Amino acid sequence: MIQLQNDELRKDILKSVSPLLIMGGPGSGKTTIALFKAKQLIEETGTLKKNQKVLFLSFARATISRVEEQAGDLIPEDTKQQIEINTYHGFIWNILKHHGYLLNSHPIHLLLPHETGRLLSDVPLNKRAAKMHELFLAEGLVHFDMFAKLCSQLLTESKALQKLICAMYPVIILDEFQDTNMDEWNLIKIFGSESKLIALADPEQRIYDFRGADPKRISQFIEAIHPEIFDFGQQNNRSSGKDIAQFGNDLLQQTNKGKIYNDVSIFAYPFYKKPFTHIYLKSALLQIRKKLYESQGNDWSLAILVPTNSLMLAVSDTLQRTQKLSNGKVLPAIEHDVAVDTSGAYLAAQFIANLLENGSQKICTETTVLRFLIEHILGRKGANNSVSKADKEIASALEQYIKSKKIRGKNRELLIAETKQLVNSVNDLHFSGNVVNDWKQILSIIIDCKSDYYKKVANDAKYLRLLQRGTQLYSALDTIWRNSSTYNGAIQAVSDALTQEHFSLSTKRWNGISVMTIHKSKGKEFDVVIVYEGHYHNKIVSSPERKEQAILNLRVAVTRAKEHTYILTPDDEPCLLL
């Protein structure tokens, strides 16, 4: 059992009977003391009655997994039963799906990001919130962005429900409080009218301004809730004994330039033409990986953190290919995970499920294939990105073809011809009932297609992580086959698995190499981090007016590391912050 550090600040937190605001930098121990506080409230003070729980909420599933693991080390199992650890979305969805009938006579249905992207493909970004509200009223469809506002409305209109929920959770711990948007803050104030709130915050880790996080949020909490305030400052337990956190703190003050750090290394790399643009990164990665194997065997984690999605995909493409250099040296493919936006991968999964379901019954048709292709074209960028004019035009042309069987344009005619060939190939397949092999058969047919639109389906499918033995999707497809010797029901099985995946809190260990954006790294930690920026629109500082936000972003990226951070920046256009 881990013991609490013997210092006065932590003792004072445990003594307090007030709402709390606990501030501190990355790895300062905010989560640890919050869990100890929860343990104390359950075991010692008698604050909780039978069937009451301490609720711990965070934004990132990665954080939840880490907190779950930490709670297992800190808290006895019988005490842990009275702590509920969940994401904001997961907790609010449980309220909406059980009580949403009080707001709408229509049954409440979750609208996943890829579905929202397709439904709102013709709606300008600045009008999508209003359209989402319209879809809720007309059909009961609920997107994540509406969760907090609808839950606030529900609890405001039903005081009995509000009292019930607050009675169930008399203490609520709010992790990453600085990232809350206005709707979430309004909901938190409702909880705070009856429950005791404990907010954990780092003002300098606020990197979600684009979704409504506000520098004033912490002062608003102080004014509304009147908490007792504790500040761990820049104490650091994540990378204790390292100067990683010091670099992050110096970065905030812009006093990092010219200093030498033992555990933060900065390299300026030369420009290389395609296809060798990211070859310096790959060479460096191979050297770092070798050191990690030598020092830690197979038990290590490394993240490559980049500013943009496009750079993430370009880096992943370089890592998964083999390159032969002019000096004869060969750089092998490197196994890695990629934390991509899920919309494209999920729609690719539904596309494959359609072929699996209909192909196994020999009833795959041109119309069903094209309808799922249209869904992928319009929805693969998710709810918060606009669809290109070209994609809208091809989707519209395919819709018209389904109705009239007429299409114009050489490329579009080739797409239709390839669709017919795909349909025939799928219907001719022999399915064995081996879920993985049958799935791969379908995928190989898509991979062989020449059309860019089918290539995008195949590319998105590479990032799907749902079809492993023992997963819900694998088990569902296996059961479907054993019951009917076909995959009739595969589309629904994939849909159910995707919904569950959005709320899954299963623990993920970040072993090996992962590639992700800086924003995706929030709440995670790795042994080693490589922060990598490219040229032009792939810079950490995307524009002069975004400099302050870039400082916060880079600090978050650097401080994900426990042992060492490497920063790679172009030598002809080095990062302004370095």
Side-chain angles (χ1 to χ4, degrees), residues 185-341:
W185 168 227
N186 287 334
L187 179 60
I188 286 167
K189 284 189 287 185
I190 293 173
F191 291 144
S193 65
E194 307 249 359
S195 300
K196 182 183 294 184
L197 302 181
I198 300 175
L200 314 180
D202 178 2
E204 311 302 345
Q205 282 201 78
R206 196 194 75 254
I207 65 171
Y208 288 105
D209 285 12
F210 64 88
R211 65 174 293 276
D214 192 323
K216 300 190 291 291
R217 193 74 68 231
I218 291 174
S219 61
Q220 290 169 344
F221 183 84
I222 294 170
E223 183 179 347
I225 307 300
H226 308 293
E228 194 168 354
I229 302 171
F230 297 90
D231 192 348
F232 287 162
Q234 304 307 329
Q235 294 184 36
N236 175 36
N237 300 308
R238 175 178 299 152
S239 54
S240 181
K242 308 290 182 178
D243 55 12
I244 296 170
Q246 186 58 55
F247 175 88
N249 299 332
D250 290 346
L251 185 66
L252 291 175
Q253 306 300 323
Q254 281 289 273
T255 58
N256 58 297
K257 297 178 182 179
K259 290 185 179 179
I260 296 176
Y261 300 86
N262 294 321
D263 308 300
V264 179
S265 305
I266 301 172
F267 297 96
Y269 68 87
F271 175 79
Y272 294 99
K273 293 181 179 180
K274 291 181 179 181
F276 300 107
T277 306
H278 309 296
I279 216 70
Y280 184 94
L281 168 66
K282 188 168 184 177
S283 297
L285 176 60
L286 288 168
Q287 295 177 44
I288 296 167
R289 186 181 69 170
K290 181 181 178 183
K291 289 180 182 178
L292 285 168
Y293 274 128
E294 290 171 351
S295 62
Q296 296 178 226
N298 293 318
D299 188 19
W300 51 267
S301 58
L302 181 151
I304 301 172
L305 307 183
V306 298
T308 65
N309 276 302
S310 59
L311 183 56
M312 175 183 67
L313 295 176
V315 166
S316 175
D317 185 65
T318 296
L319 298 188
Q320 67 189 6
R321 297 176 185 272
T322 299
Q323 290 88 17
K324 185 173 182 179
L325 307 184
S326 57
N327 60 6
K329 184 177 181 181
V330 175
L331 301 186
I334 300 176
E335 185 177 340
H336 63 284
D337 282 329
V338 188
V340 296
D341 184 282

Side-chain angles (χ1 to χ4, degrees), residues 261-489:
Y261 300 86
N262 294 321
D263 308 300
V264 179
S265 305
I266 301 172
F267 297 96
Y269 68 87
F271 175 79
Y272 294 99
K273 293 181 179 180
K274 291 181 179 181
F276 300 107
T277 306
H278 309 296
I279 216 70
Y280 184 94
L281 168 66
K282 188 168 184 177
S283 297
L285 176 60
L286 288 168
Q287 295 177 44
I288 296 167
R289 186 181 69 170
K290 181 181 178 183
K291 289 180 182 178
L292 285 168
Y293 274 128
E294 290 171 351
S295 62
Q296 296 178 226
N298 293 318
D299 188 19
W300 51 267
S301 58
L302 181 151
I304 301 172
L305 307 183
V306 298
T308 65
N309 276 302
S310 59
L311 183 56
M312 175 183 67
L313 295 176
V315 166
S316 175
D317 185 65
T318 296
L319 298 188
Q320 67 189 6
R321 297 176 185 272
T322 299
Q323 290 88 17
K324 185 173 182 179
L325 307 184
S326 57
N327 60 6
K329 184 177 181 181
V330 175
L331 301 186
I334 300 176
E335 185 177 340
H336 63 284
D337 282 329
V338 188
V340 296
D341 184 282
T342 57
S343 295
Y346 285 4
L347 283 165
Q350 290 187 326
F351 187 91
I352 294 171
N354 162 52
L355 300 181
L356 202 63
E357 177 168 329
N358 293 317
S360 66
Q361 301 174 79
K362 311 301 180 187
I363 58 172
C364 185
T365 67
E366 184 183 58
T367 296
T368 56
V369 171
L370 289 177
R371 290 208 180 280
F372 276 85
L373 183 61
I374 291 167
E375 295 263 328
H376 184 266
I377 291 169
L378 296 179
R380 68 186 296 266
K381 292 186 178 180
N384 299 313
N385 294 290
S386 57
V387 180
S388 71
K389 182 180 178 182
D391 284 349
K392 288 180 182 179
E393 289 176 350
I394 189 66
S396 177
L398 293 177
E399 286 280 9
Q400 289 301 314
Y401 174 79
I402 290 171
K403 297 174 185 176
S404 67
K405 297 302 178 184
K406 296 178 181 179
I407 199 159
R408 293 181 179 179
K410 182 179 179 181
N411 290 335
R412 294 176 183 181
E413 290 172 353
L414 289 174
L415 175 58
I416 296 301
E418 194 159 47
T419 301
K420 292 177 179 178
Q421 182 179 338
L422 182 148
V423 168
N424 292 333
S425 298
V426 170
N427 283 331
D428 287 342
L429 278 179
H430 170 71
F431 293 88
S432 65
N434 181 312
V435 173
V436 173
N437 287 347
D438 288 343
W439 187 282
K440 286 181 177 178
Q441 279 193 108
I442 295 288
L443 184 56
S444 67
I445 291 174
I446 302 170
I447 289 172
D448 288 341
C449 291
K450 301 295 189 293
S451 164
D452 285 343
Y453 292 101
Y454 285 122
K455 285 185 180 299
K456 287 175 182 176
V457 173
N459 190 62
D460 285 343
K462 290 189 304 185
Y463 303 111
L464 191 68
R465 298 289 184 262
L466 291 174
L467 197 72
Q468 299 172 355
R469 186 177 293 274
T471 62
Q472 182 207 13
L473 179 56
Y474 181 98
S475 299
L477 293 175
D478 184 58
T479 300
I480 288 169
W481 178 270
R482 284 190 281 107
N483 287 340
S484 64
S485 296
T486 72
Y487 289 107
N488 185 22

